[in-house]
Every structure is written in structure tokens, then in C-alpha cells.
Amino acid sequence: HGIAKGVTRMHIELKTANRGSVVIAALRGELDDHSAESVRRALDQELEKRQASRLILDLSGLTFMDSSGLGVILGRYRKIKSAGGQMVIAAVPQSAQRLFEISGLHKIMNIYDKRDDAVHALKEVSR
């Protein structure tokens, strides 16, 4: 039997803004193969429930992310984009920036340093 590793539970904080057309999801903890499926489900349910076409993912609270987390992000991006919506990323932590660069996500998605910048950008686009 292996050594048990301390697990930081993934917390997802979902907020809606702009009368429900924008979902702001703040992720906290580790976005990895253990949490990816539940995060994906929670995001999809919230987007569907709110009939939202725009998503801001605030990653400022992430302490760890692996390729499973990238898969969740890319999957939501493709789903929203194919439905004519928009998704932006805010506050990618230093620890995950390299993953974004290696994967090329930084080339296809708009990434903002701060959540406020992302909110402002989506408001400008929706006018």
C-alpha cells in the first residue's frame, strides 16, 4: 500500500451576474483527476440552469491543476463556443501558467489577470 497523500478538496463557487447571462465560477483547491468530473458537472449544470451563454472561470484560488483540469476547461470552452457563447479565464495562478502555455490554451482563450478585467471584457463584447 502506498503512502496516503493529503488531499485538498476542490471547492467551486458559482455566482451569476448580469441577470444570469454570465456565470462566474471561482475554483479553489486542486483541479485534477479526482475533482475534474465533479467540477465539469457543476459547471454544466449551472450554465444550463441559468441558460447562460457566457462563463468567466476565476482560477485565482487554484493550488494545483493537471491535464485533467485543462480538459475540463477546454471542454467547457468548446461547448460554450459551439453554442455561440463566450468564455474567458481570469487570474491563472503562477503554478498553472506553464500548463496553459504548453497546452496552447493561452492562444485560443482570452485570459485576464483579474476577474474585474474579465467581467469588463465580457460586458464590452455583449454591447
Side-chain angles (χ1 to χ4, degrees):
H1 298 283
I3 297 171
K5 176 184 141 197
V7 176
T8 302
R9 284 224 160 102
M10 184 73 201
H11 296 285
I12 184 168
E13 170 192 318
L14 293 166
K15 293 182 176 180
T16 55
N18 262 4
R19 287 175 283 213
S21 66
V22 177
V23 169
I24 301 172
L27 304 182
R28 309 218 178 290
E30 298 181 1
L31 182 53
D32 56 17
D33 60 330
H34 299 292
S35 61
E37 183 58 26
S38 61
V39 170
R40 183 196 63 75
R41 256 195 323 271
L43 288 172
D44 285 351
Q45 286 171 357
E46 187 69 11
L47 289 166
E48 194 173 308
K49 180 173 81 177
R50 301 282 177 201
Q51 297 182 334
S53 58
R54 296 177 291 163
L55 173 65
I56 296 171
L57 273 186
D58 178 349
L59 304 183
S60 61
L62 281 188
T63 56
F64 176 80
M65 184 172 76
D66 66 8
S67 59
S68 299
L70 282 178
V72 170
I73 292 170
L74 184 58
R76 294 326 93 226
Y77 175 78
R78 287 181 175 155
K79 185 174 185 172
I80 289 170
K81 189 99 170 143
S82 70
Q86 299 158 309
M87 178 177 143
V88 298
I89 306 290
V92 176
Q94 192 71 37
S95 60
Q97 285 180 357
R98 182 91 176 113
L99 214 48
F100 271 77
E101 290 168 12
I102 291 170
S103 67
L105 284 183
H106 70 293
K107 292 179 180 176
I108 63 168
M109 291 183 198
N110 290 328
I111 299 174
Y112 298 91
D113 291 338
K114 298 177 187 152
R115 182 194 292 198
D116 289 345
D117 295 340
V119 170
H120 181 72
L122 279 188
K123 284 181 181 175
E124 288 299 314
V125 170
S126 68
R127 288 184 179 168

